[in-house]
Amino acid sequence: MNTRALIPVAKPSLSGLEERYVVDALRSGWISSQGPYIDRFEAEFASRCGAGTAVSTSNGTTALHLILAAAGIGRGDEVIVPALTYVATANAVSYCGGRPVFVDVDVDTWCVDEAQVRAAIGPRTKAVIAVDLYGHPADYTALRNICQEHDLLLVADAAESFGASVEGSPVGSLADATTFSFFGNKILTSGEGGCVTTSRQDLGAKMRLLRNQGMDPERRYYFSVVGYNYRLTNLAAALLCAQLERSVEMLDRRRYIVETYETELGNIGSVSLQRVVGGVRRAPWLASLLVAPPGVRGMRDRVARRLQQLGIETRPFFIPMPSLPAYRAEGDREYPVSEDLSQRGINLPTYCELSDDDLAEIVDCVRGSIAAEIDRASSGLVATRSGSAEFMSTDVGN
Ligand SMILES: *Cc1c(COP(=O)(O)O)cnc(C)c1O
């Protein structure tokens, strides 16, 4: 019988440094949305990201909304968004009264497909939000060209990719503006928190105005526009200053974990991995594998259930936005790559304090679960007319 505690899929890494800074902020009395840790975090984060400025926010979703609002996205505007992402990317567009236009992702990198973006541009298109899905930066060189050609704003949703870079340039400097999330399961965390980096002064100033209810920075209680309260607290910023100081060490540990999963599991027949484009350094957010062969449904969920029984928590990939009731697909656009990845993808436990013993055990359990699944299915293996193999589901009930 397995007596150890469930291994979670994510867990924040909090050291004595976080404790020291938070206690310092607490004792100073600056617990709200003013204080020295906010300024310090914004300066250090902008510098780490190679950006002109960093505007901290209450979370990653408000970061997305803030940049779209600052750019003037409004009613009737269309914003191109990958179909496979977390719902916040699309919701931010809806908050502005705009319409997210979903496009499919690339089969290898799982990030937005550049040709699909081009094809989706219409007279109402105002912006593109690329998402660095599971830590791999989108193709910003291609996207910058498209956006320049069509005079569109390019936003990078880098909620999952802090620490990634392309040809040595850090994520945070690759688009007109880049948003980050510091939710509890992200690479850096303050529980809840977010940030937008940009080198465009106009956008930086507009975001600072809107983040603070639209209050004129020169005149108290004088509100020139309808703004929001999207401010980060000094307490949260204290946590983030500590996280940023520890980030090289944290990224190294997470990279080791992701690489171990990929080398140990990547050569299993039914497993495939995210392809890393040349010049790209991925961010080690959550290790992500496709555990079933292309087109095979159900197998991922059965593998996940076996792992859960063995005391290992996993996460299925996101559900494509056009398949959700909130964003039910209109028209005849199809998203075959997003749909397929969503059926086959799984995230494995990835956090700094995961021990080498636990890592080895998870690798064994994933191997065993996939092998058991292939054994189970092999009796039902049939050849389809196209010649590809398909698994017949015998336990439709789960
Ligand atoms: C986590 C995440 C967000 C939202 O961040 P919150 O801080 O939870 O609001 C946005 N986009 C992506 C891709 C994410 O993974």
Side-chain angles (χ1 to χ4, degrees):
M1 210 188 94
N2 200 338
T3 51
R4 66 143 170 73
L6 180 80
I7 299 174
V9 78
K11 195 174 171 179
S13 171
L14 302 169
S15 73
L17 192 64
E18 280 81 357
E19 185 172 337
R20 188 146 68 78
Y21 287 179
V22 169
V23 168
D24 179 55
L26 186 86
R27 290 188 178 150
S28 75
W30 294 98
I31 61 166
S32 198
S33 48
Q34 287 177 40
Y37 283 109
I38 298 172
D39 301 334
R40 174 172 157 190
F41 173 69
E42 289 188 345
E44 287 175 3
F45 196 73
S47 143
R48 274 292 288 276
C49 292
T53 193
V55 180
S56 59
T57 58
S58 49
N59 59 61
T61 309
T62 54
L64 281 160
H65 184 205
L66 190 64
I67 179 60
L68 296 182
I73 303 299
R75 199 151 298 284
D77 290 341
E78 292 182 354
V79 177
I80 297 172
V81 172
L84 194 61
T85 182
Y86 179 58
V87 72
T89 321
N91 282 349
V93 179
S94 303
Y95 300 159
C96 295
R99 191 170 79 88
V101 174
F102 299 110
V103 299
D104 211 355
V105 297
D106 179 81
V107 68
D108 294 318
T109 66
W110 315 341
C111 292
V112 71
D113 183 326
E114 160 242 324
Q116 301 267 343
V117 170
R118 252 181 214 290
I121 295 172
R124 290 168 175 271
T125 310
K126 290 286 172 2
V128 176
I129 310 180
V131 179
D132 299 343
L133 200 71
Y134 303 125
H136 192 298
D139 185 352
Y140 289 106
T141 311
L143 292 169
R144 273 196 306 264
N145 287 336
I146 297 172
C147 288
Q148 248 160 36
E149 231 174 86
H150 296 269
D151 194 25
L152 306 174
L153 178 82
L154 177 59
V155 176
D157 179 346
E160 304 174 359
S161 62
F162 169 77
S165 61
V166 180
E167 307 287 359
S169 298
V171 154
S173 68
L174 305 172
D176 292 316
T178 304
T179 65
F180 295 87
S181 164
F182 307 123
F183 182 62
N185 67 11
K186 296 290 162 62
I187 293 174
L188 300 184
T189 186
S190 52
E192 295 279 2
C195 197
V196 188
T197 58
T198 184
S199 292
R200 275 187 49 183
Q201 271 185 12
D202 58 329
L203 291 176
K206 193 72 192 284
M207 286 193 285
R208 288 183 195 283
L209 178 77
L210 292 176
R211 175 182 66 173
N212 191 30
Q213 302 282 23
M215 187 166 82
D216 188 328
E218 310 293 319
R219 194 170 164 194
R220 288 176 78 195
Y221 303 110
Y222 187 79
F223 301 94
S224 46
V225 291
V226 177
Y228 310 93
N229 174 359
Y230 283 174
R231 298 176 304 246
L232 185 76
T233 66
N234 194 55
L235 276 178
L239 262 171
L240 287 170
C241 285
Q243 293 264 290
L244 203 52
E245 244 176 272
R246 296 177 52 235
S247 62
V248 171
E249 151 210 344
M250 292 201 298
L251 284 165
D252 281 350
R253 177 65 189 160
R254 295 180 82 108
R255 281 203 172 96
Y256 173 78
I257 291 168
V258 169
E259 279 163 19
T260 302
Y261 283 132
E262 295 199 343
T263 39
E264 297 292 327
L265 300 169
N267 52 7
I268 298 174
S270 68
V271 169
S272 39
L273 307 174
Q274 188 173 37
R275 187 170 69 82
V276 184
V277 170
V280 161
R281 185 157 210 224
R282 244 185 333 174
W285 183 42
L286 294 180
S288 309
L289 308 179
L290 307 179
V291 291
V296 173
R297 295 177 165 242
M299 177 167 165
R300 185 270 318 276
D301 292 339
R302 290 189 294 269
V303 169
R305 211 168 305 119
R306 280 181 209 273
L307 289 169
Q308 184 75 30
Q309 281 159 6
L310 296 167
I312 297 163
E313 188 189 43
T314 62
R315 264 177 48 158
F317 273 21
F318 297 124
I319 299 169
M321 298 299 107
S323 300
L324 299 172
Y327 289 107
R328 194 80 75 199
E330 323 146 29
D332 51 7
R333 229 181 252 281
E334 287 185 37
Y335 308 91
V337 178
S338 298
E339 286 295 344
D340 186 45
L341 294 173
S342 164
Q343 294 289 335
R344 299 193 285 138
I346 201 168
N347 301 119
L348 299 176
T350 311
Y351 51 90
C352 297
E353 279 79 23
L354 186 70
S355 70
D356 287 350
D357 284 351
D358 283 349
L359 182 58
E361 187 186 336
I362 298 167
V363 164
D364 281 347
C365 289
V366 173
R367 267 205 205 108
S369 300
I370 293 175
E373 189 49 37
I374 289 172
D375 281 351
R376 190 201 66 89
S378 61
S379 55
L381 191 68
V382 291
T384 61
R385 266 181 300 170
S386 67
S388 66
E390 219 173 55
F391 293 96
M392 287 199 318
S393 182
T394 47
D395 50 349
V396 181
N398 49 15

